[in-house]
Amino acid sequence: MEGHHVKDISCLNRDPARVVVVDYKKEAFRLQPYDGVALQPSDGNSDDRVLLGLSAFLKTIVEDVRTVLKHCLSRRG
């Protein structure tokens, strides 16, 4: 879309409340903005722990991932 690769979770045979799109570009989940998490791109450094932090966050989400992600996004402004 408009020169960006976009991931559309509506194409999945899954409950969207249980899906999180992880990418380093927000444009990747622009169709479902409350289903995505944008991370800093990995630089290949073995000290990179971003995914470990994300896994801890994902373990806290139990019901609808969009509720948690929407709350996090609204706090960022």
Side-chain angles (χ1 to χ4, degrees), residues 6-22:
V6 178
K7 299 171 182 176
D8 184 2
I9 65 170
S10 70
C11 298
L12 301 174
N13 188 20
R14 306 253 187 280
D15 178 0
R18 310 282 302 159
V19 176
V20 178
V21 178
V22 178

Side-chain angles (χ1 to χ4, degrees), residues 8-74:
D8 184 2
I9 65 170
S10 70
C11 298
L12 301 174
N13 188 20
R14 306 253 187 280
D15 178 0
R18 310 282 302 159
V19 176
V20 178
V21 178
V22 178
D23 205 296
Y24 68 96
K25 292 184 179 182
K26 289 183 180 180
E27 293 86 5
F29 49 88
R30 69 193 290 178
L31 295 175
Q32 294 94 11
Y34 299 119
D35 287 290
V37 176
L39 300 178
Q40 294 293 324
S42 175
D43 60 5
N45 186 332
S46 63
D47 293 333
D48 188 347
R49 301 287 184 244
V50 173
L51 291 178
L52 289 175
L54 178 64
S55 68
F57 168 72
L58 292 175
K59 288 177 186 177
T60 67
I61 300 174
V62 177
E63 295 297 321
D64 188 337
V65 298
R66 296 167 295 184
T67 303
V68 176
L69 294 174
K70 186 175 181 178
H71 177 72
C72 291
L73 290 173
S74 67

